[in-house]
Amino acid sequence: MSSWRRKLRMGMIGGGQGAFIGGVHRIAAALDQQIELVAGCFSRDTENTRITGEQLHLSAARCYATYEDMAAAEANLPEDERIDFVSIVTPNVSHFPIAKTFLDAGFHIICDKPMTYTLEEAKSLANLVEKTGLVFAVTYNYTGHPLIRHARHLFRSGEMGIVRKVVVEYFQDFLMVPHEKLGQKQAAWRVDPAQSGIGGTMGDIGTHSVNLVEYVTGDSITALCADKSTFLPDRTLDEDVNALLRFKGGGKGVLTVSQVATGEENGLILRVYASEGAVKWAHENPNYLELYRYGEPRQTLGRGQGYLSESAAACTRIPPGHPEGYLEGFATIYVGVVEAIQRHIDGNPMKTEEYNFPTVYDGLRGMEFIYKTVESCNNGSTWVNL
């Protein structure tokens, strides 16, 4: 990992008491000791923000009642005190107005996924990022795993040949129980279209799946035919989605995601079959990558080994046999953002295509997937172009 002149100063919107992903972001941001959390608006409830700030040992003066107050106040601080970037970890419906406010105030952004509430917001956000030239990252965290980086290297280098078949599955049983009726915040906003948007499971974990496929293969999905289902009463958003995929290079694929798959915890599995070999990677066992070659013994590649690519080595923190996983994947994205922001501070900004993390365009792509999937389902599971 690289070292920088100073730690970058981070602000956070969301992530107060009762939240899940905010704590994950804070741990990930701190892991490589390049970032310091100095300010936040952690909840619409000012008492929640106050308590969260106290627990995080932040100055009360930099725990704000609203994100608008925070953006204005931080912009007015001296350059050597104000935040460098803000991390947005709120429900989907508020991502766009928060991101726009901070971009307009001159701050870089890390945003949780899905990037926005609507597709139009995503398009507007991409235009605004282009206009401002500021750094914008979306936390598709599975792209930060060393063996996913190695799989990407195998396909992007041409070593695996032409993609023929892709199967990506992401199964959870998180929504098997109506947690939203039992006071659980994480379920309540995810099943509410007023907060999540038009996609439920397809937005929450389906966008992860699509992003992972295109990140590894470099082969974009050009069309899909989808079917969605909702099983529990009183819910309107999808809980289960299945889709056939067509790829630019001529390959075909299957995407299947569910949050009502009994007994599953976080079953994200990617299989890619190509003309010169195949790979299989499972998030619940992320330190190993299966590599197949026709007529040869199956190989199991281990994280942290000298035979892996430079891109895998660059995001490996500990020796083999010591598991790296979920938090480290987030941290790898934060490290990439630190590099991009530091380059911006130094007056030598990186081009978007040089970023080593998911960008605003990946966020836009995720929103396009949600909308096209819903379009296909609503039209009787017809093929639609993506």
Side-chain angles (χ1 to χ4, degrees):
M1 299 298 170
S2 301
S3 59
W4 306 113
R5 298 176 304 178
R6 64 170 175 84
K7 289 186 177 183
L8 295 187
R9 294 179 290 272
M10 167 180 157
M12 177 169 281
I13 309 299
Q17 302 301 297
F20 159 66
I21 205 66
V24 170
H25 279 254
R26 290 191 289 268
I27 295 169
L31 189 62
D32 294 289
Q33 304 178 61
Q34 298 182 30
I35 296 168
E36 181 182 8
L37 177 67
V38 298
C41 173
F42 302 106
S43 173
R44 288 172 292 184
D45 178 353
T46 55
E47 181 65 8
N48 188 325
T49 288
R50 184 191 67 79
I51 294 172
T52 303
E54 284 186 353
Q55 292 182 343
L56 296 172
H57 306 290
L58 300 183
S59 166
R62 299 185 75 175
C63 295
Y64 299 93
T66 70
Y67 69 82
E68 295 95 339
D69 290 345
M70 177 171 161
E74 291 291 323
N76 285 327
L77 289 175
E79 286 190 15
D80 62 351
E81 294 182 23
R82 71 178 64 145
I83 60 172
D84 295 297
F85 72 96
V86 67
S87 186
I88 302 171
V89 293
T90 61
N92 308 350
V93 66
S94 59
H95 287 181
F96 175 73
I98 296 170
K100 183 179 186 305
T101 297
F102 279 89
L103 287 169
D104 286 341
F107 295 109
H108 306 285
I109 305 287
I110 293 180
C111 185
D112 209 34
K113 40 57 53 190
M115 186 172 73
T116 53
Y117 181 65
T118 69
L119 179 56
E120 286 305 311
E121 287 179 346
K123 292 176 180 177
S124 296
L125 198 52
N127 289 335
L128 184 57
V129 171
E130 290 176 2
K131 179 181 177 181
T132 62
L134 294 167
V135 177
F136 194 103
V138 179
T139 47
Y140 286 119
N141 56 294
Y142 302 114
T143 64
H145 283 282
L147 286 166
I148 286 295
R149 295 283 172 102
H150 185 68
R152 173 186 170 92
H153 165 76
L154 291 175
F155 283 93
R156 299 300 180 100
S157 67
E159 185 178 337
M160 303 301 289
I162 299 170
V163 173
R164 292 174 173 169
K165 177 82 169 183
V166 176
V167 181
V168 60
E169 64 183 60
Y170 200 159
F171 294 156
Q172 301 174 339
D173 66 2
F174 167 55
L175 295 180
M176 282 289 298
V177 174
H179 292 295
E180 66 274 19
K181 297 179 180 179
L182 304 174
Q184 188 187 101
K185 290 174 61 175
Q186 302 310 311
W189 74 261
R190 281 177 168 82
V191 302
D192 180 6
Q195 298 185 72
S196 282
I198 66 171
T201 291
M202 74 179 74
D204 195 19
I205 61 177
T207 54
H208 268 306
S209 304
V210 167
N211 176 262
L212 190 64
V213 166
E214 295 189 332
Y215 179 83
V216 168
T217 65
D219 198 357
S220 58
I221 300 167
T222 58
L224 60 83
C225 175
D227 174 74
K228 64 185 177 76
S229 299
T230 305
F231 295 99
L232 270 69
D234 302 322
R235 286 183 182 163
T236 57
L237 294 179
D238 58 278
E239 302 164 334
D240 184 279
V241 179
N242 301 286
L244 300 176
L245 310 173
R246 292 173 179 165
F247 289 86
K248 184 176 181 180
K252 303 296 176 67
V254 177
L255 176 149
T256 177
V257 298
S258 180
Q259 289 179 308
V260 291
T262 308
E264 296 287 351
E265 294 178 347
N266 207 63
L268 172 59
I269 301 175
L270 174 67
R271 301 175 179 88
V272 185
Y273 305 92
S275 58
E276 302 301 320
V279 298
K280 176 184 176 182
W281 180 84
H283 168 64
E284 292 182 350
N285 194 20
N287 290 270
Y288 299 95
L289 177 73
E290 302 296 324
L291 176 63
Y292 310 143
R293 303 283 188 186
Y294 181 72
E296 298 180 13
R298 295 185 176 192
Q299 299 182 55
T300 300
L301 308 185
R303 184 205 54 77
Q305 300 289 351
Y307 50 69
L308 297 178
S309 59
E310 291 183 7
S311 59
C315 60
T316 297
R317 294 170 176 81
I318 50 180
H322 302 282
E324 284 190 275
Y326 182 71
L327 294 171
E328 291 87 347
F330 273 97
T332 294
I333 292 175
Y334 270 89
V335 168
V337 172
V338 167
E339 179 185 6
I341 293 176
Q342 188 64 61
R343 286 275 298 272
H344 198 280
I345 292 171
D346 292 342
N348 183 29
M350 302 169 71
K351 297 178 181 178
T352 302
E353 55 268 25
E354 296 178 302
Y355 290 167
N356 199 19
F357 51 83
T359 71
V360 70
Y361 302 109
D362 296 294
L364 174 58
R365 183 69 170 166
M367 293 304 299
E368 289 172 339
F369 160 75
I370 293 171
Y371 271 67
K372 289 297 183 178
T373 301
V374 171
E375 178 184 339
S376 173
C377 295
N378 289 347
N379 289 341
S381 298
T382 58
W383 282 97
V384 296
N385 293 328
L386 177 60

